[in-house]
Amino acid sequence: MLIYQLLVGLCVFACLGSAQDFYTGQAARLIIGQKNFTAQYPGSSATQLGAAGGVAIAGDRLYVADSSRIGAAPANHRVVVYDGVSSFVPDPDVVPPQGPRCPACVGVGTIVLGQPNFEVAPENVFPTKVAATTMRLATAVASDGKVLAVADTDFNRVLIWRNLPTYNGQPADLVLGQAALDKLRPVATDNKSLRGPQGVWIQDGKLFVADTQNHRVLIWNRIPTTNDQPADVVLGQPNFTVVPQVDLTKATVDPQAKNLLNPVSVSSDGRRLLVSDLGHNRVLVWNSIPTANQTPADLVLGQPDFTSAVANNVTVLCDSNGTDEDGNPTYPGRCASTLSFPRFALSDGEHFYVADGGNDRVLVYNTIPTTNGARADAVLGQRSDTLNLTSDSAFPNFVSAADVIRTPTSLAWDGSNLYVADPYNRRVLVFTPAPRLISDTGVRNAASREVFAVGSVAFGGVATEGETVTIKINYDENDTDNTSYTFKFAKDNTLADAINTLANDINTKNGGNANVVATAVLRSDFFALALTARVAGEAGNEITYSAEVAAVKEGDTPKTAVQAAGANLAGGGDAAQVAPGTIVFVLGDGFTDQTASIPMDSAAWPRGLAGVEVFFDGISVPIQAVSPTRITAQVPVELGDTTASNVWVRSVFSDGTVKYSAPVGVPIVPYNPGIFAEEGTDPRVGVVTHYSSAATATVSIDGTAVKDDVGVITINNRSYSYTVQESDVDENDNTKANRILFEKLIEAINAGSGDPEVYAFPSGYYTRIRLQSKKFGPDGNGTPITATSTTVQNLDTDTTNDKVASVILTAFNSELCCANVAGAPVTEENPAVPGETIVVLATGLGAIYPEVANNSFYTGYAYAGEEMNQPLEFVDAMAGLKTANVLFAGLKVGLIGIYEVHLELNTDLDTNPTTQLYIAQSAYRSNIVTFAVKNAKKDAANQ
């Protein structure tokens, strides 16, 4: 019941509306050609696409031209035909079939053209000859449900099937641009020839071809019936014989309403004609189908007029976003009115859609534009109309996801769904307009409420005496004491010394840095300083930081290496970074007209509750509670193979009405911890409990044990030891001897009836031995302990300087302490004390080991595996700005997706009723919670 109470109360988001239009940032519902939304596997099969550049749909058939002209790979030189589209692209209110890892990953090709079958080896896909059955860089495809046309770009031709293909490798019936299906002629410019065509369209018995390198569009007033049939109309040129300058570096084509520069697509809604004029960064629109050569266009998108051609013409089409230091207006890099190398334009008669390739997005116009440079209503593929995170190296994970598009090249509309060719990600995305019920950051770790911007500085190389590392945070040369931090290496200093000292200075010098909190991340293979904004949300992303090393002598190359992950902290405000298995809130409005829940400690959660279902990648996930504004669910453990998912909600209301939401994109990370806390304002009071009803202490075994090392633990003058044997040491496993020493010392303390005062057991994290009094209550407090390491040689000679033991034993406490009542909440009335072990509950810590334990980590079921388990990624903790020793972190037996973390507090903590605590895994840090600490000894000494 306690856990359920702590999971309620997150602020309710404002109503997000229910109109069924596309909205900015919306995620795709389905994916074709890859096994999940972040896979980018190159290949050529019935289920896998390469650099798919063209897409078309007619009837119940989908066609994909599996090549592109933008440099994406692989080019599979084929067209894949998918029959029965409605069977794998169902209506959005239909529950997707369950069972596969990704029910949202759909589509199995039924016919392939340009190749003999789907099993052609990658090295054999390139055509060795021109024929009716081969293609070289097929980049576009079109069909009206009766005829099929393919732009066979590198063969300078268009292939036509007068009847729709029915079998693999079926030859085309005729060819345009060449005299015969097995012939190629020298490039020419006339009414029959083509040069690198990249666009085809069939509409009302007419054929349209974007003859790209001839800078023109050709129109056949009837579908051709013979090879090499001449076109009837030309757009972009005054006649059929004008020879253009194909070298764009030498071309001087001034934009006009009647000319074109590298048009790459042409389409029509039966009334209007749309052409993507790539070289002029615009889309031209004719309000009726032209019948005369070089008919001028009626409307232009992406430019304010017909004589402009600037990519992202922001100074004319966008609102200013401020002023520079001289008072001149500044502008965003793009907005909803600008275009950069548009590659496809489409109209369904009511809306316009533009594949804005250079901006990695699709613009959506909810009504037919009537003015030049009209502003789009929504953007797909980006989080706002001014961003392009896909091409921003600061966002490496924003490359392939459900809400990401990289250089879209083609579009298709089936009346309900928009199909987008995404060649660099080797896939076709399916977007479906739906009510905007889930907020943009509405899928988040249920234990965390705020996500703080983070950054990191990686350390490497060799720590070198005299070299200086400097970290600058929001650097101000007039306030260097609070914005610049320096560490100079002494003779024996290590990288860890530098990181720890810098972290301490950032956190404590002059009261601590006003902008960030620093955390040392020290691993055997990774040394870093993690920085986390003190302010929550997107404001933290404005915090700048840098790192540099100064060599001992000016001009020398430093041997120490530091590298900042970016110029600014990043990730603030993005609450949707969740790990597989995490308990999450789905937040929004209008999910259901009911409220229902089941106990958090149930053995299993249903895959639907009170008519509500939540889908990740199409997987129906376990649900614990539902309400109109919030759903508590679990992220599928199966999502460990991806870095992003899409999420949508389907609900059956009390009156039987079915409602579904538009999908949102959710980043999936290996781990991202959150600590459960009570209600209130962050930092909230954590759900923190006392660990033990008996006094405890901890001994840590570190270093690397070798033969003849001796570990000794002394309890109230009773010593227990073990000498490392030669058979304990394994040169291929440098931790084996430590583990054996660890086990043997526990065994020695517990042998027979055991030590009269203390019981020993493993902590579950690292090789740390826990000692617990056999007396409950405060009577066990004060039992003295020590831990030492020596060698057989030292023991024999009674000398301590002959040889230093390689293994290190450290007692974190000098005596057993801090008995309380196990499981009792830590409160101001019953505070924790320095040196005590406390317990917090968390979620989002990711996969666990050993493997047998992880194999018991099931989506929607209470964990029933080994009690001694731990996350794959180490957990660190800070309490009161001091390191708290993580003694155990692992899935809690009997609960779903919830981890228990045992923390031994620093013995020097001060009294503070709101001591701050957080846990971290690598650069991912949890929310900050507070708990009460009482240091009676310090308080008495200070009186």
Side-chain angles (χ1 to χ4, degrees):
M1 184 63 182
L2 173 63
I3 299 174
Y4 173 72
Q5 290 174 342
L6 60 88
L7 286 179
V8 300
L10 200 64
C11 60
V12 176
F13 278 70
C15 178
L16 299 172
S18 59
Q20 293 194 33
D21 286 320
F22 290 112
Y23 69 87
T24 297
Q26 176 177 335
R29 179 167 67 102
L30 305 170
I31 179 177
I32 299 168
Q34 292 293 332
K35 68 178 185 178
N36 61 52
F37 281 106
T38 59
Q40 303 172 60
Y41 297 106
S44 175
S45 70
T47 57
Q48 195 168 345
L49 293 171
V55 61
I57 192 163
D60 203 24
R61 258 192 173 188
L62 176 69
Y63 303 88
V64 177
D66 197 8
S67 303
S68 69
R69 195 67 184 274
I70 60 174
N76 287 329
H77 307 291
R78 65 178 188 169
V79 168
V80 181
V81 182
Y82 300 82
D83 283 314
V85 177
S86 58
S87 66
F88 62 85
V89 181
D91 291 339
D93 61 348
V94 175
V95 176
Q98 297 298 295
R101 150 63 185 87
C102 179
C105 305
V106 299
V108 178
T110 51
I111 298 172
V112 62
L113 304 174
Q115 304 291 348
N117 54 58
F118 285 107
E119 288 74 42
V120 176
E123 62 270 19
N124 296 325
V125 298
F126 187 80
T128 58
K129 63 179 181 178
V130 59
T133 56
T134 62
M135 303 173 187
R136 184 173 292 177
L137 217 67
T139 60
V141 61
S143 177
D144 61 354
K146 300 175 183 178
V147 177
L148 177 67
V150 174
D152 191 8
T153 305
D154 276 7
F155 278 150
N156 295 315
R157 65 183 186 171
V158 169
L159 299 176
I160 295 179
W161 285 257
R162 293 283 298 177
N163 297 293
L164 297 182
T166 58
Y167 60 90
N168 289 344
Q170 183 171 331
D173 297 312
L174 60 93
V175 63
L176 301 177
Q178 302 296 338
L181 284 160
D182 60 350
K183 304 292 183 182
L184 290 180
R185 64 177 170 228
V187 174
T189 305
D190 53 35
N191 60 357
K192 298 186 296 183
S193 299
L194 300 171
R195 191 195 304 260
Q198 294 185 48
V200 289
W201 190 264
I202 299 172
Q203 185 75 44
D204 299 330
K206 297 177 183 287
L207 175 68
F208 305 83
V209 175
D211 188 12
T212 305
Q213 289 182 286
N214 279 327
H215 309 316
R216 65 186 187 176
V217 167
L218 301 180
I219 302 175
W220 283 260
N221 289 330
R222 291 180 177 80
I223 301 298
T225 57
T226 61
N227 291 340
D228 218 16
Q229 185 169 324
D232 300 298
V233 179
V234 62
L235 301 178
Q237 300 292 348
N239 55 58
F240 290 104
T241 58
V242 172
V243 180
Q245 171 58 259
V246 295
D247 185 346
L248 294 184
T249 64
K250 299 178 181 178
T252 56
V253 181
D254 295 325
Q256 303 174 40
K258 61 183 181 180
N259 68 5
L260 298 167
L261 183 62
N262 275 58
V264 289
S265 77
V266 56
S267 68
S268 175
D269 59 8
R271 177 182 173 185
R272 303 166 190 84
L273 189 72
L274 289 72
V275 175
S276 295
D277 190 11
L278 182 80
H280 287 146
N281 298 291
R282 65 184 183 176
V283 168
L284 295 181
V285 181
W286 286 260
N287 289 332
S288 60
I289 306 300
T291 58
N293 292 348
Q294 207 175 34
T295 301
D298 300 299
L299 181 77
V300 61
L301 299 177
Q303 300 296 342
D305 51 53
F306 288 107
T307 59
S308 300
V310 178
N312 287 323
N313 200 343
V314 295
T315 59
V316 179
L317 294 175
C318 305
D319 294 331
S320 170
N321 60 1
T323 57
D324 61 19
E325 58 186 11
D326 297 322
N328 300 312
T330 59
Y331 297 89
R334 62 202 51 79
C335 68
S337 298
T338 67
L339 294 173
S340 173
F341 298 117
R343 294 190 172 273
F344 206 95
L346 181 69
S347 170
D348 62 2
E350 297 180 359
H351 310 78
F352 269 18
Y353 309 95
V354 177
D356 187 11
N359 287 320
D360 299 305
R361 64 185 185 177
V362 172
L363 299 182
V364 179
Y365 301 79
N366 289 333
T367 58
I368 302 298
T370 58
T371 58
N372 292 341
R375 180 182 178 86
D377 298 292
V379 175
L380 303 179
Q382 298 294 337
R383 297 175 182 175
S384 85
D385 66 308
T386 61
L387 292 177
N388 186 355
L389 301 184
T390 312
S391 296
D392 189 337
S393 61
F395 297 87
N397 291 330
F398 202 79
V399 172
S400 181
D403 53 350
V404 169
I405 310 168
R406 294 173 66 198
T407 316
T409 53
S410 184
L411 306 171
W413 175 257
D414 68 2
S416 300
N417 306 283
L418 183 68
Y419 299 76
V420 180
D422 188 7
Y424 280 112
N425 288 324
R426 300 163 179 149
R427 63 188 185 177
V428 172
L429 295 175
V430 182
F431 290 85
T432 306
R436 187 179 184 180
L437 304 183
I438 306 174
S439 70
D440 290 341
T441 58
V443 181
R444 61 178 70 188
N445 185 311
S448 300
R449 295 194 175 176
E450 300 285 358
V451 174
F452 294 80
V454 297
S456 63
V457 178
F459 283 65
V462 179
T464 303
E465 182 181 2
E467 292 190 345
T468 303
V469 177
T470 301
I471 307 293
K472 296 179 180 179
I473 302 164
N474 266 9
Y475 181 67
D476 181 351
E477 62 182 6
N478 297 316
D479 188 19
T480 56
D481 286 346
N482 295 303
T483 61
S484 183
Y485 304 88
T486 299
F487 177 86
K488 186 173 184 179
F489 286 95
K491 181 178 180 181
D492 296 322
N493 284 155
T494 64
L495 295 178
D497 293 329
I499 294 170
N500 283 323
T501 301
L502 286 165
N504 184 69
D505 286 351
I506 292 169
N507 292 334
T508 61
K509 182 180 176 182
N510 297 329
N513 185 274
N515 294 291
V516 304
V517 174
T519 305
V521 181
L522 306 175
R523 300 284 177 266
S524 60
D525 59 348
F526 181 67
F527 292 83
L529 183 70
L531 303 175
T532 304
R534 290 182 181 272
V535 60
E538 294 183 358
N541 298 332
E542 302 300 318
I543 298 171
T544 62
Y545 71 109
S546 63
E548 59 186 14
V549 180
V552 177
K553 295 182 180 179
E554 187 175 352
D556 287 354
T557 301
K559 296 180 180 179
T560 310
V562 296
Q563 179 64 54
N568 290 62
L569 300 188
D574 184 6
Q577 291 193 6
V578 295
T582 302
I583 306 304
V584 294
F585 286 147
V586 181
L587 301 165
D589 189 61
F591 293 139
T592 179
D593 58 356
Q594 304 177 64
T595 299
S597 65
I598 64 169
M600 283 287 293
D601 58 359
S602 297
W605 294 357
R607 300 288 177 126
L609 184 64
V612 177
E613 287 186 83
V614 177
F615 300 93
F616 280 71
D617 279 5
I619 302 171
S620 180
V621 305
I623 296 177
Q624 184 270 328
V626 299
S627 75
T629 58
R630 187 179 67 225
I631 302 167
T632 304
Q634 185 186 23
V635 179
V637 175
E638 298 92 316
L639 298 190
D641 66 347
T642 186
T643 58
S645 177
N646 72 347
V647 177
W648 79 90
V649 175
R650 177 185 184 273
S651 302
V652 181
F653 281 61
S654 300
D655 62 1
T657 302
V658 177
K659 191 173 184 179
Y660 55 90
S661 73
V664 298
V666 178
I668 304 296
V669 292
Y671 39 80
N672 192 8
I675 303 174
F676 289 110
E678 304 290 353
E679 289 311 307
T681 302
D682 280 314
R684 295 167 288 145
V685 177
V687 178
V688 183
T689 59
H690 296 279
Y691 168 70
S692 177
S693 297
T696 59
T698 304
V699 174
S700 181
I701 300 176
D702 301 291
T704 302
V706 299
K707 180 180 179 296
D708 293 337
D709 278 356
V710 181
V712 182
I713 296 177
T714 302
I715 304 167
N716 208 1
N717 295 320
R718 298 178 297 276
S719 294
Y720 304 90
S721 65
Y722 177 73
T723 302
V724 177
Q725 305 299 304
E726 184 173 0
S727 60
D728 297 339
V729 180
D730 185 345
E731 63 180 11
N732 296 317
D733 181 2
N734 58 12
T735 65
K736 178 182 176 183
N738 284 37
R739 295 197 305 270
I740 292 175
L741 175 61
F742 167 78
E743 293 164 358
K744 292 297 185 180
L745 287 172
I746 292 175
E747 183 181 312
I749 294 170
N750 295 333
S753 57
D755 183 89
E757 294 183 89
V758 168
Y759 168 73
F761 59 95
S763 73
Y765 221 56
Y766 305 106
T767 46
R768 289 175 176 172
I769 298 173
R770 296 286 280 152
L771 303 175
Q772 186 176 54
S773 175
K774 293 183 176 180
K775 301 176 182 178
F776 288 102
D779 289 347
N781 291 344
T783 302
I785 65 164
T786 60
T788 58
S789 59
T790 185
T791 68
V792 170
Q793 181 180 1
N794 291 343
L795 292 174
D796 291 343
T797 62
D798 194 26
T799 304
T800 60
N801 296 320
D802 293 344
K803 180 183 177 184
V804 177
S806 297
V807 72
I808 303 169
L809 269 67
T810 305
F812 290 153
N813 323 68
S814 60
E815 58 186 30
L816 272 64
C817 81
C818 319
N820 202 286
V821 177
V826 172
T827 63
E828 288 192 53
E829 294 74 25
N830 185 16
V833 298
E836 182 182 358
T837 300
I838 60 173
V839 178
V840 298
L841 296 178
T843 192
L845 276 62
I848 59 173
Y849 72 93
E851 185 176 356
V852 65
N854 199 55
N855 290 340
S856 298
F857 189 3
Y858 298 115
T859 305
Y861 293 92
Y863 176 68
E866 294 188 6
E867 185 174 1
M868 297 302 291
N869 67 88
Q870 64 188 74
L872 291 178
E873 178 63 29
F874 289 113
V875 177
D876 295 308
M878 291 283 286
L881 295 180
K882 296 181 182 294
T883 299
N885 293 314
V886 180
L887 303 176
F888 171 80
L891 277 172
K892 185 169 178 59
V893 173
L895 293 178
I896 296 173
I898 294 179
Y899 302 74
E900 192 172 77
V901 183
H902 301 173
L903 304 174
E904 189 174 62
L905 301 175
N906 190 283
T907 56
D908 196 38
L909 287 181
D910 296 323
T911 294
N912 185 349
T914 58
T915 300
Q916 292 193 351
L917 162 69
Y918 65 83
I919 61 175
Q921 291 176 285
S922 187
Y924 290 93
R925 202 193 76 179
S926 75
N927 54 314
I928 298 173
V929 302
T930 66
F931 69 104
V933 172
K934 178 71 173 177
N935 191 330
K937 291 182 179 179
K938 266 194 176 184
D939 293 346
N942 292 332
Q943 288 180 351

